[in-house]
Amino acid sequence: MLIDGACHCGNIRFALAWNGEADSIAARACDCSFCIKHGGVWTAQAGASLRLRLREPDRVSRYAFGTHTADFLVCARCGAVPAVVSRIDERLYAVVNVNAFENIEPASIQRAPSSLDGESERARLARRQRNWIGEVEIVEGA
């Protein structure tokens, strides 16, 4: 199934090729201060593929904090954060914000709280390699 999503103004868009039907999507509501302030509720599927399109790449900020091992893609026009990317061993991994979905019934999203406090950097990167979307393409321009 193809899941479309975007920031509020459409500058950052994504197409997520989800394996199988998306009738129940597990989503992680992170309790870090950034995710709380920006409405970050994340999902990924290890076998999925993601195509991110940055219409105006100069209006996309990459924000890294904490371990500086991931970049939150923040639209400088509307302020929304539809995706996070992390480069691990020369491969790009990603999660997407379910609040940016455009063609999914909200009732199909199973939100659960999540806390990553105390997770070591090594464990964090290993978790991303196991659970995040491992086929990621970023296209810049219209």
Side-chain angles (χ1 to χ4, degrees), residues 89-129:
D89 296 333
E90 302 306 315
R91 184 172 182 178
L92 195 60
Y93 294 85
V95 291
V96 294
N97 190 341
V98 299
N99 292 322
F101 284 178
E102 295 182 327
N103 62 330
I104 293 295
E105 179 62 42
S108 69
I109 299 170
Q110 307 304 309
R111 299 167 190 252
S114 175
S115 179
L116 301 174
D117 283 345
E119 184 179 49
S120 72
E121 183 176 320
R122 184 176 183 187
R124 184 164 297 193
L125 296 176
R127 175 182 46 77
R128 289 177 186 161
Q129 286 179 304

PDB file of all heavy atoms in Angstrom, residues 89-129:
ATOM      1  N   ASP A  89      26.321   3.504   8.788  1.00  0.00           N
ATOM      2  CA  ASP A  89      27.168   2.678   7.911  1.00  0.00           C
ATOM      3  C   ASP A  89      26.876   2.954   6.434  1.00  0.00           C
ATOM      4  O   ASP A  89      26.658   2.040   5.645  1.00  0.00           O
ATOM      5  CB  ASP A  89      26.990   1.187   8.225  1.00  0.00           C
ATOM      6  CG  ASP A  89      27.455   0.824   9.621  1.00  0.00           C
ATOM      7  OD1 ASP A  89      28.343   1.512  10.147  1.00  0.00           O
ATOM      8  OD2 ASP A  89      26.908  -0.149  10.188  1.00  0.00           O
ATOM      9  N   GLU A  90      26.838   4.227   6.083  1.00  0.00           N
ATOM     10  CA  GLU A  90      26.640   4.684   4.700  1.00  0.00           C
ATOM     11  C   GLU A  90      25.254   4.371   4.121  1.00  0.00           C
ATOM     12  O   GLU A  90      25.043   4.487   2.927  1.00  0.00           O
ATOM     13  CB  GLU A  90      27.731   4.120   3.769  1.00  0.00           C
ATOM     14  CG  GLU A  90      29.133   4.499   4.184  1.00  0.00           C
ATOM     15  CD  GLU A  90      29.332   6.006   4.356  1.00  0.00           C
ATOM     16  OE1 GLU A  90      28.877   6.773   3.496  1.00  0.00           O
ATOM     17  OE2 GLU A  90      29.944   6.400   5.364  1.00  0.00           O
ATOM     18  N   ARG A  91      24.313   3.984   4.967  1.00  0.00           N
ATOM     19  CA  ARG A  91      22.948   3.710   4.510  1.00  0.00           C
ATOM     20  C   ARG A  91      22.002   4.656   5.229  1.00  0.00           C
ATOM     21  O   ARG A  91      22.154   4.913   6.419  1.00  0.00           O
ATOM     22  CB  ARG A  91      22.570   2.267   4.805  1.00  0.00           C
ATOM     23  CG  ARG A  91      21.211   1.884   4.263  1.00  0.00           C
ATOM     24  CD  ARG A  91      20.981   0.409   4.410  1.00  0.00           C
ATOM     25  NE  ARG A  91      19.712   0.032   3.853  1.00  0.00           N
ATOM     26  CZ  ARG A  91      19.260  -1.191   3.801  1.00  0.00           C
ATOM     27  NH1 ARG A  91      19.987  -2.176   4.280  1.00  0.00           N
ATOM     28  NH2 ARG A  91      18.090  -1.447   3.290  1.00  0.00           N
ATOM     29  N   LEU A  92      21.005   5.152   4.507  1.00  0.00           N
ATOM     30  CA  LEU A  92      20.047   6.082   5.079  1.00  0.00           C
ATOM     31  C   LEU A  92      18.814   5.323   5.560  1.00  0.00           C
ATOM     32  O   LEU A  92      18.244   4.508   4.831  1.00  0.00           O
ATOM     33  CB  LEU A  92      19.652   7.117   4.018  1.00  0.00           C
ATOM     34  CG  LEU A  92      18.950   8.374   4.492  1.00  0.00           C
ATOM     35  CD1 LEU A  92      19.832   9.157   5.470  1.00  0.00           C
ATOM     36  CD2 LEU A  92      18.603   9.264   3.299  1.00  0.00           C
ATOM     37  N   TYR A  93      18.413   5.599   6.809  1.00  0.00           N
ATOM     38  CA  TYR A  93      17.219   5.025   7.426  1.00  0.00           C
ATOM     39  C   TYR A  93      16.278   6.172   7.761  1.00  0.00           C
ATOM     40  O   TYR A  93      16.711   7.316   7.918  1.00  0.00           O
ATOM     41  CB  TYR A  93      17.580   4.266   8.703  1.00  0.00           C
ATOM     42  CG  TYR A  93      18.419   3.043   8.462  1.00  0.00           C
ATOM     43  CD1 TYR A  93      19.802   3.138   8.365  1.00  0.00           C
ATOM     44  CD2 TYR A  93      17.840   1.786   8.334  1.00  0.00           C
ATOM     45  CE1 TYR A  93      20.587   2.011   8.139  1.00  0.00           C
ATOM     46  CE2 TYR A  93      18.609   0.661   8.106  1.00  0.00           C
ATOM     47  CZ  TYR A  93      19.978   0.784   8.006  1.00  0.00           C
ATOM     48  OH  TYR A  93      20.746  -0.333   7.783  1.00  0.00           O
ATOM     49  N   ALA A  94      14.983   5.873   7.917  1.00  0.00           N
ATOM     50  CA  ALA A  94      14.024   6.940   8.208  1.00  0.00           C
ATOM     51  C   ALA A  94      12.813   6.418   8.970  1.00  0.00           C
ATOM     52  O   ALA A  94      12.496   5.226   8.946  1.00  0.00           O
ATOM     53  CB  ALA A  94      13.550   7.591   6.909  1.00  0.00           C
ATOM     54  N   VAL A  95      12.149   7.361   9.644  1.00  0.00           N
ATOM     55  CA  VAL A  95      10.816   7.171  10.199  1.00  0.00           C
ATOM     56  C   VAL A  95       9.982   8.347   9.715  1.00  0.00           C
ATOM     57  O   VAL A  95      10.518   9.398   9.359  1.00  0.00           O
ATOM     58  CB  VAL A  95      10.788   7.100  11.747  1.00  0.00           C
ATOM     59  CG1 VAL A  95      11.444   5.835  12.255  1.00  0.00           C
ATOM     60  CG2 VAL A  95      11.425   8.322  12.371  1.00  0.00           C
ATOM     61  N   VAL A  96       8.665   8.159   9.686  1.00  0.00           N
ATOM     62  CA  VAL A  96       7.768   9.237   9.262  1.00  0.00           C
ATOM     63  C   VAL A  96       6.766   9.542  10.368  1.00  0.00           C
ATOM     64  O   VAL A  96       6.429   8.679  11.178  1.00  0.00           O
ATOM     65  CB  VAL A  96       7.036   8.905   7.941  1.00  0.00           C
ATOM     66  CG1 VAL A  96       8.026   8.824   6.780  1.00  0.00           C
ATOM     67  CG2 VAL A  96       6.236   7.625   8.051  1.00  0.00           C
ATOM     68  N   ASN A  97       6.308  10.765  10.365  1.00  0.00           N
ATOM     69  CA  ASN A  97       5.353  11.251  11.351  1.00  0.00           C
ATOM     70  C   ASN A  97       3.942  10.919  10.865  1.00  0.00           C
ATOM     71  O   ASN A  97       3.521  11.404   9.806  1.00  0.00           O
ATOM     72  CB  ASN A  97       5.533  12.763  11.522  1.00  0.00           C
ATOM     73  CG  ASN A  97       4.766  13.325  12.682  1.00  0.00           C
ATOM     74  OD1 ASN A  97       3.830  12.716  13.194  1.00  0.00           O
ATOM     75  ND2 ASN A  97       5.140  14.528  13.086  1.00  0.00           N
ATOM     76  N   VAL A  98       3.214  10.116  11.627  1.00  0.00           N
ATOM     77  CA  VAL A  98       1.858   9.728  11.221  1.00  0.00           C
ATOM     78  C   VAL A  98       0.918  10.938  11.155  1.00  0.00           C
ATOM     79  O   VAL A  98      -0.094  10.891  10.467  1.00  0.00           O
ATOM     80  CB  VAL A  98       1.259   8.635  12.124  1.00  0.00           C
ATOM     81  CG1 VAL A  98       2.101   7.363  12.063  1.00  0.00           C
ATOM     82  CG2 VAL A  98       1.087   9.110  13.555  1.00  0.00           C
ATOM     83  N   ASN A  99       1.269  12.017  11.841  1.00  0.00           N
ATOM     84  CA  ASN A  99       0.448  13.233  11.776  1.00  0.00           C
ATOM     85  C   ASN A  99       0.545  13.908  10.410  1.00  0.00           C
ATOM     86  O   ASN A  99      -0.242  14.804  10.113  1.00  0.00           O
ATOM     87  CB  ASN A  99       0.854  14.208  12.882  1.00  0.00           C
ATOM     88  CG  ASN A  99       0.495  13.664  14.247  1.00  0.00           C
ATOM     89  OD1 ASN A  99      -0.543  13.045  14.432  1.00  0.00           O
ATOM     90  ND2 ASN A  99       1.373  13.882  15.219  1.00  0.00           N
ATOM     91  N   ALA A 100       1.487  13.471   9.577  1.00  0.00           N
ATOM     92  CA  ALA A 100       1.638  14.017   8.231  1.00  0.00           C
ATOM     93  C   ALA A 100       0.935  13.157   7.172  1.00  0.00           C
ATOM     94  O   ALA A 100       0.907  13.518   5.998  1.00  0.00           O
ATOM     95  CB  ALA A 100       3.122  14.151   7.880  1.00  0.00           C
ATOM     96  N   PHE A 101       0.340  12.028   7.565  1.00  0.00           N
ATOM     97  CA  PHE A 101      -0.341  11.154   6.607  1.00  0.00           C
ATOM     98  C   PHE A 101      -1.520  11.877   5.965  1.00  0.00           C
ATOM     99  O   PHE A 101      -2.239  12.627   6.633  1.00  0.00           O
ATOM    100  CB  PHE A 101      -0.870   9.895   7.292  1.00  0.00           C
ATOM    101  CG  PHE A 101       0.179   8.859   7.611  1.00  0.00           C
ATOM    102  CD1 PHE A 101      -0.184   7.700   8.260  1.00  0.00           C
ATOM    103  CD2 PHE A 101       1.516   9.028   7.289  1.00  0.00           C
ATOM    104  CE1 PHE A 101       0.751   6.721   8.572  1.00  0.00           C
ATOM    105  CE2 PHE A 101       2.462   8.064   7.592  1.00  0.00           C
ATOM    106  CZ  PHE A 101       2.069   6.901   8.232  1.00  0.00           C
ATOM    107  N   GLU A 102      -1.734  11.594   4.690  1.00  0.00           N
ATOM    108  CA  GLU A 102      -2.831  12.232   3.963  1.00  0.00           C
ATOM    109  C   GLU A 102      -3.932  11.264   3.545  1.00  0.00           C
ATOM    110  O   GLU A 102      -5.047  11.684   3.318  1.00  0.00           O
ATOM    111  CB  GLU A 102      -2.282  12.947   2.725  1.00  0.00           C
ATOM    112  CG  GLU A 102      -1.365  14.101   3.092  1.00  0.00           C
ATOM    113  CD  GLU A 102      -0.841  14.849   1.894  1.00  0.00           C
ATOM    114  OE1 GLU A 102      -0.622  14.235   0.826  1.00  0.00           O
ATOM    115  OE2 GLU A 102      -0.632  16.068   2.033  1.00  0.00           O
ATOM    116  N   ASN A 103      -3.636   9.999   3.381  1.00  0.00           N
ATOM    117  CA  ASN A 103      -4.631   9.078   2.840  1.00  0.00           C
ATOM    118  C   ASN A 103      -4.853   7.846   3.713  1.00  0.00           C
ATOM    119  O   ASN A 103      -5.188   6.782   3.224  1.00  0.00           O
ATOM    120  CB  ASN A 103      -4.232   8.644   1.418  1.00  0.00           C
ATOM    121  CG  ASN A 103      -2.901   7.903   1.379  1.00  0.00           C
ATOM    122  OD1 ASN A 103      -2.022   8.145   2.184  1.00  0.00           O
ATOM    123  ND2 ASN A 103      -2.759   6.993   0.433  1.00  0.00           N
ATOM    124  N   ILE A 104      -4.679   8.015   5.005  1.00  0.00           N
ATOM    125  CA  ILE A 104      -4.865   6.905   5.951  1.00  0.00           C
ATOM    126  C   ILE A 104      -5.937   7.288   6.958  1.00  0.00           C
ATOM    127  O   ILE A 104      -5.938   8.402   7.490  1.00  0.00           O
ATOM    128  CB  ILE A 104      -3.538   6.593   6.685  1.00  0.00           C
ATOM    129  CG1 ILE A 104      -2.501   6.045   5.714  1.00  0.00           C
ATOM    130  CG2 ILE A 104      -3.739   5.630   7.842  1.00  0.00           C
ATOM    131  CD1 ILE A 104      -2.855   4.704   5.105  1.00  0.00           C
ATOM    132  N   GLU A 105      -6.828   6.372   7.227  1.00  0.00           N
ATOM    133  CA  GLU A 105      -7.863   6.580   8.236  1.00  0.00           C
ATOM    134  C   GLU A 105      -7.198   6.698   9.605  1.00  0.00           C
ATOM    135  O   GLU A 105      -6.476   5.780  10.029  1.00  0.00           O
ATOM    136  CB  GLU A 105      -8.839   5.402   8.222  1.00  0.00           C
ATOM    137  CG  GLU A 105      -9.942   5.489   9.225  1.00  0.00           C
ATOM    138  CD  GLU A 105     -10.839   6.691   9.010  1.00  0.00           C
ATOM    139  OE1 GLU A 105     -11.175   6.987   7.854  1.00  0.00           O
ATOM    140  OE2 GLU A 105     -11.194   7.330  10.028  1.00  0.00           O
ATOM    141  N   PRO A 106      -7.375   7.812  10.312  1.00  0.00           N
ATOM    142  CA  PRO A 106      -6.719   7.998  11.612  1.00  0.00           C
ATOM    143  C   PRO A 106      -6.985   6.866  12.612  1.00  0.00           C
ATOM    144  O   PRO A 106      -6.130   6.564  13.440  1.00  0.00           O
ATOM    145  CB  PRO A 106      -7.282   9.328  12.116  1.00  0.00           C
ATOM    146  CG  PRO A 106      -7.671  10.062  10.883  1.00  0.00           C
ATOM    147  CD  PRO A 106      -8.144   8.993   9.920  1.00  0.00           C
ATOM    148  N   ALA A 107      -8.135   6.229  12.527  1.00  0.00           N
ATOM    149  CA  ALA A 107      -8.462   5.144  13.464  1.00  0.00           C
ATOM    150  C   ALA A 107      -7.538   3.936  13.277  1.00  0.00           C
ATOM    151  O   ALA A 107      -7.424   3.102  14.178  1.00  0.00           O
ATOM    152  CB  ALA A 107      -9.917   4.733  13.295  1.00  0.00           C
ATOM    153  N   SER A 108      -6.870   3.824  12.128  1.00  0.00           N
ATOM    154  CA  SER A 108      -5.979   2.684  11.894  1.00  0.00           C
ATOM    155  C   SER A 108      -4.620   2.861  12.566  1.00  0.00           C
ATOM    156  O   SER A 108      -3.824   1.934  12.608  1.00  0.00           O
ATOM    157  CB  SER A 108      -5.786   2.459  10.388  1.00  0.00           C
ATOM    158  OG  SER A 108      -5.039   3.522   9.829  1.00  0.00           O
ATOM    159  N   ILE A 109      -4.354   4.040  13.096  1.00  0.00           N
ATOM    160  CA  ILE A 109      -3.069   4.313  13.735  1.00  0.00           C
ATOM    161  C   ILE A 109      -3.157   3.983  15.224  1.00  0.00           C
ATOM    162  O   ILE A 109      -3.988   4.536  15.945  1.00  0.00           O
ATOM    163  CB  ILE A 109      -2.644   5.773  13.513  1.00  0.00           C
ATOM    164  CG1 ILE A 109      -2.498   6.032  12.007  1.00  0.00           C
ATOM    165  CG2 ILE A 109      -1.350   6.074  14.251  1.00  0.00           C
ATOM    166  CD1 ILE A 109      -2.326   7.483  11.643  1.00  0.00           C
ATOM    167  N   GLN A 110      -2.334   3.067  15.658  1.00  0.00           N
ATOM    168  CA  GLN A 110      -2.296   2.618  17.050  1.00  0.00           C
ATOM    169  C   GLN A 110      -1.148   3.324  17.764  1.00  0.00           C
ATOM    170  O   GLN A 110      -0.004   2.888  17.712  1.00  0.00           O
ATOM    171  CB  GLN A 110      -2.122   1.100  17.114  1.00  0.00           C
ATOM    172  CG  GLN A 110      -3.134   0.327  16.292  1.00  0.00           C
ATOM    173  CD  GLN A 110      -4.558   0.659  16.662  1.00  0.00           C
ATOM    174  OE1 GLN A 110      -4.909   0.629  17.831  1.00  0.00           O
ATOM    175  NE2 GLN A 110      -5.372   0.978  15.673  1.00  0.00           N
ATOM    176  N   ARG A 111      -1.454   4.452  18.397  1.00  0.00           N
ATOM    177  CA  ARG A 111      -0.441   5.266  19.076  1.00  0.00           C
ATOM    178  C   ARG A 111      -0.133   4.690  20.456  1.00  0.00           C
ATOM    179  O   ARG A 111      -1.037   4.313  21.183  1.00  0.00           O
ATOM    180  CB  ARG A 111      -0.938   6.699  19.220  1.00  0.00           C
ATOM    181  CG  ARG A 111      -1.207   7.369  17.900  1.00  0.00           C
ATOM    182  CD  ARG A 111      -1.990   8.670  18.083  1.00  0.00           C
ATOM    183  NE  ARG A 111      -2.448   9.174  16.805  1.00  0.00           N
ATOM    184  CZ  ARG A 111      -1.940  10.241  16.200  1.00  0.00           C
ATOM    185  NH1 ARG A 111      -0.985  10.930  16.783  1.00  0.00           N
ATOM    186  NH2 ARG A 111      -2.395  10.615  15.031  1.00  0.00           N
ATOM    187  N   ALA A 112       1.164   4.656  20.782  1.00  0.00           N
ATOM    188  CA  ALA A 112       1.590   4.200  22.098  1.00  0.00           C
ATOM    189  C   ALA A 112       2.728   5.102  22.565  1.00  0.00           C
ATOM    190  O   ALA A 112       3.553   5.524  21.757  1.00  0.00           O
ATOM    191  CB  ALA A 112       2.063   2.749  22.032  1.00  0.00           C
ATOM    192  N   PRO A 113       2.770   5.401  23.851  1.00  0.00           N
ATOM    193  CA  PRO A 113       3.867   6.230  24.360  1.00  0.00           C
ATOM    194  C   PRO A 113       5.193   5.490  24.266  1.00  0.00           C
ATOM    195  O   PRO A 113       5.234   4.253  24.302  1.00  0.00           O
ATOM    196  CB  PRO A 113       3.477   6.491  25.811  1.00  0.00           C
ATOM    197  CG  PRO A 113       2.512   5.426  26.161  1.00  0.00           C
ATOM    198  CD  PRO A 113       1.834   5.001  24.888  1.00  0.00           C
ATOM    199  N   SER A 114       6.263   6.264  24.132  1.00  0.00           N
ATOM    200  CA  SER A 114       7.588   5.672  24.025  1.00  0.00           C
ATOM    201  C   SER A 114       8.610   6.574  24.698  1.00  0.00           C
ATOM    202  O   SER A 114       8.549   7.789  24.564  1.00  0.00           O
ATOM    203  CB  SER A 114       7.956   5.505  22.549  1.00  0.00           C
ATOM    204  OG  SER A 114       9.273   5.049  22.413  1.00  0.00           O
ATOM    205  N   SER A 115       9.533   5.959  25.400  1.00  0.00           N
ATOM    206  CA  SER A 115      10.624   6.703  26.021  1.00  0.00           C
ATOM    207  C   SER A 115      11.935   6.016  25.673  1.00  0.00           C
ATOM    208  O   SER A 115      12.075   4.806  25.840  1.00  0.00           O
ATOM    209  CB  SER A 115      10.461   6.747  27.535  1.00  0.00           C
ATOM    210  OG  SER A 115      11.542   7.451  28.111  1.00  0.00           O
ATOM    211  N   LEU A 116      12.866   6.795  25.172  1.00  0.00           N
ATOM    212  CA  LEU A 116      14.172   6.255  24.817  1.00  0.00           C
ATOM    213  C   LEU A 116      15.257   6.739  25.772  1.00  0.00           C
ATOM    214  O   LEU A 116      16.445   6.587  25.494  1.00  0.00           O
ATOM    215  CB  LEU A 116      14.512   6.636  23.370  1.00  0.00           C
ATOM    216  CG  LEU A 116      13.498   6.140  22.336  1.00  0.00           C
ATOM    217  CD1 LEU A 116      13.835   6.676  20.957  1.00  0.00           C
ATOM    218  CD2 LEU A 116      13.421   4.632  22.322  1.00  0.00           C
ATOM    219  N   ASP A 117      14.838   7.316  26.886  1.00  0.00           N
ATOM    220  CA  ASP A 117      15.802   7.765  27.894  1.00  0.00           C
ATOM    221  C   ASP A 117      16.676   6.597  28.334  1.00  0.00           C
ATOM    222  O   ASP A 117      16.191   5.485  28.549  1.00  0.00           O
ATOM    223  CB  ASP A 117      15.087   8.337  29.121  1.00  0.00           C
ATOM    224  CG  ASP A 117      14.558   9.738  28.894  1.00  0.00           C
ATOM    225  OD1 ASP A 117      14.981  10.385  27.912  1.00  0.00           O
ATOM    226  OD2 ASP A 117      13.717  10.190  29.688  1.00  0.00           O
ATOM    227  N   GLY A 118      17.955   6.848  28.447  1.00  0.00           N
ATOM    228  CA  GLY A 118      18.868   5.828  28.918  1.00  0.00           C
ATOM    229  C   GLY A 118      19.383   4.893  27.843  1.00  0.00           C
ATOM    230  O   GLY A 118      20.243   4.052  28.119  1.00  0.00           O
ATOM    231  N   GLU A 119      18.880   5.003  26.632  1.00  0.00           N
ATOM    232  CA  GLU A 119      19.347   4.141  25.550  1.00  0.00           C
ATOM    233  C   GLU A 119      20.724   4.624  25.095  1.00  0.00           C
ATOM    234  O   GLU A 119      20.907   5.804  24.806  1.00  0.00           O
ATOM    235  CB  GLU A 119      18.343   4.198  24.387  1.00  0.00           C
ATOM    236  CG  GLU A 119      18.685   3.270  23.244  1.00  0.00           C
ATOM    237  CD  GLU A 119      17.652   3.338  22.126  1.00  0.00           C
ATOM    238  OE1 GLU A 119      17.306   4.461  21.695  1.00  0.00           O
ATOM    239  OE2 GLU A 119      17.204   2.276  21.688  1.00  0.00           O
ATOM    240  N   SER A 120      21.675   3.716  25.004  1.00  0.00           N
ATOM    241  CA  SER A 120      23.012   4.096  24.559  1.00  0.00           C
ATOM    242  C   SER A 120      22.985   4.411  23.060  1.00  0.00           C
ATOM    243  O   SER A 120      22.070   3.984  22.337  1.00  0.00           O
ATOM    244  CB  SER A 120      24.009   2.972  24.829  1.00  0.00           C
ATOM    245  OG  SER A 120      23.783   1.888  23.943  1.00  0.00           O
ATOM    246  N   GLU A 121      23.967   5.151  22.604  1.00  0.00           N
ATOM    247  CA  GLU A 121      24.042   5.470  21.171  1.00  0.00           C
ATOM    248  C   GLU A 121      24.156   4.204  20.338  1.00  0.00           C
ATOM    249  O   GLU A 121      23.495   4.075  19.306  1.00  0.00           O
ATOM    250  CB  GLU A 121      25.231   6.395  20.909  1.00  0.00           C
ATOM    251  CG  GLU A 121      25.331   6.825  19.457  1.00  0.00           C
ATOM    252  CD  GLU A 121      26.449   7.820  19.220  1.00  0.00           C
ATOM    253  OE1 GLU A 121      26.650   8.716  20.069  1.00  0.00           O
ATOM    254  OE2 GLU A 121      27.106   7.711  18.170  1.00  0.00           O
ATOM    255  N   ARG A 122      24.946   3.260  20.793  1.00  0.00           N
ATOM    256  CA  ARG A 122      25.114   1.996  20.061  1.00  0.00           C
ATOM    257  C   ARG A 122      23.784   1.246  19.947  1.00  0.00           C
ATOM    258  O   ARG A 122      23.414   0.751  18.885  1.00  0.00           O
ATOM    259  CB  ARG A 122      26.160   1.153  20.771  1.00  0.00           C
ATOM    260  CG  ARG A 122      26.486  -0.119  20.076  1.00  0.00           C
ATOM    261  CD  ARG A 122      27.593  -0.829  20.804  1.00  0.00           C
ATOM    262  NE  ARG A 122      27.958  -2.041  20.085  1.00  0.00           N
ATOM    263  CZ  ARG A 122      28.792  -2.922  20.549  1.00  0.00           C
ATOM    264  NH1 ARG A 122      29.364  -2.735  21.724  1.00  0.00           N
ATOM    265  NH2 ARG A 122      29.068  -3.995  19.859  1.00  0.00           N
ATOM    266  N   ALA A 123      23.050   1.164  21.053  1.00  0.00           N
ATOM    267  CA  ALA A 123      21.750   0.484  21.046  1.00  0.00           C
ATOM    268  C   ALA A 123      20.758   1.232  20.153  1.00  0.00           C
ATOM    269  O   ALA A 123      19.958   0.607  19.454  1.00  0.00           O
ATOM    270  CB  ALA A 123      21.211   0.369  22.467  1.00  0.00           C
ATOM    271  N   ARG A 124      20.816   2.540  20.188  1.00  0.00           N
ATOM    272  CA  ARG A 124      19.915   3.361  19.372  1.00  0.00           C
ATOM    273  C   ARG A 124      20.144   3.108  17.884  1.00  0.00           C
ATOM    274  O   ARG A 124      19.193   2.905  17.118  1.00  0.00           O
ATOM    275  CB  ARG A 124      20.136   4.837  19.705  1.00  0.00           C
ATOM    276  CG  ARG A 124      19.198   5.769  18.996  1.00  0.00           C
ATOM    277  CD  ARG A 124      19.209   7.121  19.633  1.00  0.00           C
ATOM    278  NE  ARG A 124      18.717   6.957  21.002  1.00  0.00           N
ATOM    279  CZ  ARG A 124      18.356   7.927  21.805  1.00  0.00           C
ATOM    280  NH1 ARG A 124      18.439   9.173  21.410  1.00  0.00           N
ATOM    281  NH2 ARG A 124      17.917   7.681  23.017  1.00  0.00           N
ATOM    282  N   LEU A 125      21.389   3.106  17.461  1.00  0.00           N
ATOM    283  CA  LEU A 125      21.690   2.867  16.047  1.00  0.00           C
ATOM    284  C   LEU A 125      21.298   1.447  15.631  1.00  0.00           C
ATOM    285  O   LEU A 125      20.757   1.246  14.540  1.00  0.00           O
ATOM    286  CB  LEU A 125      23.165   3.144  15.768  1.00  0.00           C
ATOM    287  CG  LEU A 125      23.610   4.591  15.972  1.00  0.00           C
ATOM    288  CD1 LEU A 125      25.115   4.731  15.773  1.00  0.00           C
ATOM    289  CD2 LEU A 125      22.843   5.550  15.070  1.00  0.00           C
ATOM    290  N   ALA A 126      21.533   0.483  16.495  1.00  0.00           N
ATOM    291  CA  ALA A 126      21.150  -0.900  16.192  1.00  0.00           C
ATOM    292  C   ALA A 126      19.634  -1.031  16.066  1.00  0.00           C
ATOM    293  O   ALA A 126      19.130  -1.724  15.170  1.00  0.00           O
ATOM    294  CB  ALA A 126      21.682  -1.843  17.268  1.00  0.00           C
ATOM    295  N   ARG A 127      18.882  -0.353  16.949  1.00  0.00           N
ATOM    296  CA  ARG A 127      17.414  -0.380  16.873  1.00  0.00           C
ATOM    297  C   ARG A 127      16.943   0.228  15.558  1.00  0.00           C
ATOM    298  O   ARG A 127      16.035  -0.286  14.906  1.00  0.00           O
ATOM    299  CB  ARG A 127      16.804   0.374  18.059  1.00  0.00           C
ATOM    300  CG  ARG A 127      15.281   0.490  18.001  1.00  0.00           C
ATOM    301  CD  ARG A 127      14.709   1.274  19.169  1.00  0.00           C
ATOM    302  NE  ARG A 127      15.393   2.515  19.490  1.00  0.00           N
ATOM    303  CZ  ARG A 127      15.249   3.657  18.792  1.00  0.00           C
ATOM    304  NH1 ARG A 127      14.470   3.706  17.744  1.00  0.00           N
ATOM    305  NH2 ARG A 127      15.884   4.756  19.167  1.00  0.00           N
ATOM    306  N   ARG A 128      17.550   1.336  15.160  1.00  0.00           N
ATOM    307  CA  ARG A 128      17.163   1.964  13.894  1.00  0.00           C
ATOM    308  C   ARG A 128      17.426   1.034  12.719  1.00  0.00           C
ATOM    309  O   ARG A 128      16.599   0.924  11.818  1.00  0.00           O
ATOM    310  CB  ARG A 128      17.917   3.284  13.711  1.00  0.00           C
ATOM    311  CG  ARG A 128      17.452   4.364  14.658  1.00  0.00           C
ATOM    312  CD  ARG A 128      18.272   5.612  14.481  1.00  0.00           C
ATOM    313  NE  ARG A 128      17.921   6.608  15.490  1.00  0.00           N
ATOM    314  CZ  ARG A 128      18.682   7.630  15.824  1.00  0.00           C
ATOM    315  NH1 ARG A 128      19.853   7.822  15.209  1.00  0.00           N
ATOM    316  NH2 ARG A 128      18.286   8.473  16.750  1.00  0.00           N
ATOM    317  N   GLN A 129      18.564   0.375  12.717  1.00  0.00           N
ATOM    318  CA  GLN A 129      18.872  -0.550  11.621  1.00  0.00           C
ATOM    319  C   GLN A 129      17.864  -1.694  11.549  1.00  0.00           C
ATOM    320  O   GLN A 129      17.538  -2.162  10.463  1.00  0.00           O
ATOM    321  CB  GLN A 129      20.290  -1.103  11.768  1.00  0.00           C
ATOM    322  CG  GLN A 129      21.351  -0.086  11.425  1.00  0.00           C
ATOM    323  CD  GLN A 129      22.746  -0.629  11.604  1.00  0.00           C
ATOM    324  OE1 GLN A 129      23.109  -1.089  12.685  1.00  0.00           O
ATOM    325  NE2 GLN A 129      23.528  -0.579  10.548  1.00  0.00           N
TER     326      GLN A 129
END
